[in-house]
Amino acid sequence: MPPPAPSKPPAEVIVPPPAPPAKPPESLADDATIKGLNEKLIQNPDDSAALYRRGQVYASKGFYDLAIKDFNNSLRLNPKDVEAYNNRCWARTVIGDLQAALKDCNEALRLRPNFVDALDSRGLVNLKSGQTKNAIADFDAALKINPRLTSSLYGRGVAKKRNGSVSEGDLDINNAKAMDPNIAKEFAEYGVQ
């Protein structure tokens, strides 16, 4: 077994400038919101708010790679945008890029401690990574801020069950399903069952 490599200081993250606008996939071509945002970005390619908003729309429609590109460019223009870090964290989590997702969530929480959305997103990262105790801690922290945050309640239930607390986990899952009957389907789409 080779000796461990000496640790290097973290490299500065440099996000490249945006690529020229590509034609969106067919299912997005007729979306009025995307069309409007594309027009704004043609007029001003450095409109960080339009990039961020288009990234949100892409993510909501399941086009995570396009969403991540827009969040990258939004962060290039506004490197302290906690919402963009959180949304990129979530999109990266859904596609399974968990190490990068964790960095994004941690940066969002560094910039805005106790940011409930980032706690919820990081809980999902930890859940998908098999870090059930960390997931429970993140979901607990999010639920202290917003006790009706269905995704944190459901995620905590899954994490508790995986951690051996089956009855407590079932209680959280059932309460989450009572608030949002589609929550299990949503988590299944994220790769969590």
Side-chain angles (χ1 to χ4, degrees):
M1 183 177 204
S7 63
K8 295 184 252 179
E12 181 180 340
V13 177
I14 299 173
V15 180
K23 184 174 184 239
E26 270 317 298
S27 61
L28 294 175
D30 295 326
D31 184 283
T33 304
I34 295 291
K35 279 183 178 180
L37 291 166
N38 286 343
E39 287 300 317
K40 278 186 160 187
L41 290 164
I42 287 169
Q43 293 170 13
N44 178 8
D46 288 342
D47 184 338
S48 64
L51 284 163
Y52 171 76
R53 178 70 185 119
R54 189 174 69 177
Q56 285 184 303
V57 175
Y58 282 153
S60 73
K61 295 181 177 295
F63 293 94
Y64 302 111
D65 289 335
L66 291 173
I68 291 167
K69 284 180 186 174
D70 277 353
F71 295 139
N72 287 345
N73 287 318
S74 178
L75 285 163
R76 177 182 57 80
L77 298 164
N78 182 4
K80 295 191 184 294
D81 186 342
V82 294
E83 302 282 345
Y85 277 112
N86 176 61
N87 280 280
R88 189 172 70 177
C89 168
W90 180 83
R92 284 176 162 172
T93 302
V94 173
I95 64 168
D97 188 2
L98 302 178
Q99 206 168 18
L102 184 60
K103 287 180 183 177
D104 283 344
C105 279
N106 286 341
E107 182 61 12
L109 288 163
R110 186 188 72 76
L111 292 168
R112 186 186 299 166
N114 297 316
F115 178 28
V116 70
D117 294 343
L119 287 166
D120 182 63
S121 295
R122 191 172 69 181
L124 182 61
V125 174
N126 284 321
L127 186 60
K128 284 190 75 169
S129 300
Q131 302 295 317
T132 55
K133 287 181 181 175
N134 290 344
I136 291 167
D138 283 334
F139 291 136
D140 278 344
L143 288 163
K144 278 185 182 170
I145 298 165
N146 179 358
R148 299 198 49 81
L149 190 58
T150 313
S151 54
S152 284
L153 189 59
Y154 186 86
R156 184 177 73 179
V158 172
K160 282 181 175 180
K161 286 181 74 166
R162 288 182 183 175
N163 214 33
S165 300
V166 176
S167 61
E168 285 181 36
D170 282 337
L171 181 62
D172 280 349
I173 288 169
N174 290 333
N175 286 334
K177 285 180 178 178
M179 292 189 291
D180 178 359
N182 296 315
I183 192 71
K185 180 179 181 265
E186 185 180 319
F187 266 71
E189 291 170 0
Y190 303 157
V192 175
Q193 294 183 2

